[in-house]
Amino acid sequence: MAFVSRLITFFGLILLGHAGYSAHEHTVLYSNVRLSSASTALPQDIVIEALVSLVLVSVGLVLGAPKLKPISWSQWAGEIEKEGGAQNPFRRLEERYGFWDVRAKRKEFADWVRGEDPVKE
């Protein structure tokens, strides 16, 4: 799908560039005309080409976008834990030396509450 999205985006950018060039040429052509009856508005085909190209670029970018991340912090944190924590942006904060290891202390406390001796294991 990545190739198709890039192709659509590229084609939309080509069309957008062509529409911009056509609009520039139109304004240059009609800038020398001093007649008040001459319409200097952009022709409809240039406007339609620009709008279609914007839609194509938008569709191509949306199709090529990565999967959205979950909104819920707990779900997001759960997915990070399942992956092993490699993508955790707070990893450096959690692994600082000289600070308390909260997870290890929770495990020690849970073992103590159950009556298990953590030193024997």
Side-chain angles (χ1 to χ4, degrees):
M1 192 63 154
F3 178 73
V4 174
S5 68
R6 288 182 182 173
L7 188 66
I8 291 172
T9 305
F10 181 71
F11 183 68
L13 287 174
I14 295 293
L15 280 179
L16 187 61
H18 183 263
Y21 179 75
S22 298
H24 173 72
E25 286 296 314
H26 181 268
T27 54
V28 167
L29 181 66
Y30 285 101
S31 66
N32 295 331
V33 176
R34 301 280 184 212
L35 301 176
S36 61
S37 64
S39 174
T40 59
L42 286 176
Q44 291 297 319
D45 61 335
I46 296 175
V47 174
I48 291 172
E49 182 182 11
L51 292 175
V52 167
S53 66
L54 277 170
V55 168
L56 284 176
V57 168
S58 299
V59 167
L61 291 175
V62 167
L63 288 177
K67 182 183 172 192
L68 296 176
K69 293 181 179 167
I71 295 174
S72 172
W73 276 96
S74 61
Q75 184 180 1
W76 175 74
E79 288 181 7
I80 287 176
E81 290 295 323
K82 288 177 188 174
E83 295 171 358
Q87 300 291 330
N88 188 356
F90 306 111
R91 186 177 187 183
R92 291 184 59 184
L93 293 173
E94 293 174 353
E95 295 178 353
R96 293 187 297 180
Y97 296 108
F99 284 85
W100 217 37
D101 186 5
V102 175
R103 291 182 181 156
K105 295 298 179 184
R106 283 182 187 166
K107 184 177 180 330
E108 287 178 18
F109 180 74
D111 292 341
W112 177 77
V113 168
R114 286 188 295 243
E116 299 173 5
D117 190 10
V119 178
K120 291 181 182 178
E121 295 178 3

